[in-house]
């Protein structure tokens, strides 16, 4: 039987904006007087990074990377490549990776190691959502927006099949028997 999904609101726009403001204040305080480059991970982190940088009170440079993953079945994120590298010089700079969500930790582990090759002064990590339940590699987050134990979430940059990125709040997709709900045959395991 085809799977159907409904959206259940998890975090309101107001909650997200409040937390993003707090993160921006902490980052601005911690990086005072340093050469900071925010490296956003496309596409999911674009809204989070934009809101974060608008609230920061120190000079900052912004760059983006895009990663692709290949494989099959539930191991689909097993092989990761960089499809758009960072373009700013990172040697000697303080790099802050800005991610939408950390799930298994494979993407972040790969990205940290890949950016390390450019010899930045430091690499730290800021993630909007830490989804800890399916972690495969240990990840130490320096700035975390929200901890969500499990489930598949959308909105505020996060998509399902390229839908829902534009929503200002964050929703969990849940299975439902309502035949009018979102069809979800291609959804990854939650
Ligand atoms: P990881 O390598 O940590 O397993 O995966 C991180 C990436 O998987 C995220 O950047 C995001 O693209 C995707 N991802 C993991 N969990 C979710 C989720 O709940 N919702 C959405 N939309 N993407 C997710």
């Amino acid at each position: 039987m085809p799977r159907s999904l409904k959206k259940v609101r998890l975090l309101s726009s107001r909650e997200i904006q409040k937390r993003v403001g707090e993160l921006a204040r902490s980052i601005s305080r911690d990086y005072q007087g340093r050469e900071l480059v925010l490296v956003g991970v496309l596409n999911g982190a674009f809204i989070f990074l934009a809101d974060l940088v608008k609230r920061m009170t120190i000079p900052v440079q912004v760059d983006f990377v895009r990663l692709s993953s290949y494989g099959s079945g539930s191991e689909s994120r097993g092989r990761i490549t960089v499809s758009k590298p960072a373009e700013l010089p990172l040697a000697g700079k303080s790099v802050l990776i800005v991610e939408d969500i950390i799930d298994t930790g494979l993407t972040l582990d790969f990205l940290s190691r890949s950016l390390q090759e450019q010899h930045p002064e430091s690499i730290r990590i800021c993630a909007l959502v830490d989804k800890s339940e399916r972690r495969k590699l240990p990840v130490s987050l320096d700035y975390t927006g929200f901890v969500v134990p499990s489930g598949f979430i959308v909105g505020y940059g996060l998509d399902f099949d390229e839908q829902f990125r534009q929503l200002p709040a964050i929703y969990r997709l849940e299975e439902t028997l309502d035949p009018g709900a979102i069809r979800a045959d291609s959804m990854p395991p939650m």
Side-chain angles (χ1 to χ4, degrees), residues 83-112:
S83 52
K84 183 218 154 321
E87 289 162 63
L88 291 174
L90 301 180
K93 301 282 176 64
S94 302
V95 169
L96 183 62
I97 297 174
V98 179
E99 254 283 31
D100 51 359
I101 183 165
I102 312 297
D103 184 10
T104 62
L106 293 174
T107 307
L108 190 62
D109 177 72
F110 172 85
L111 179 60
S112 305

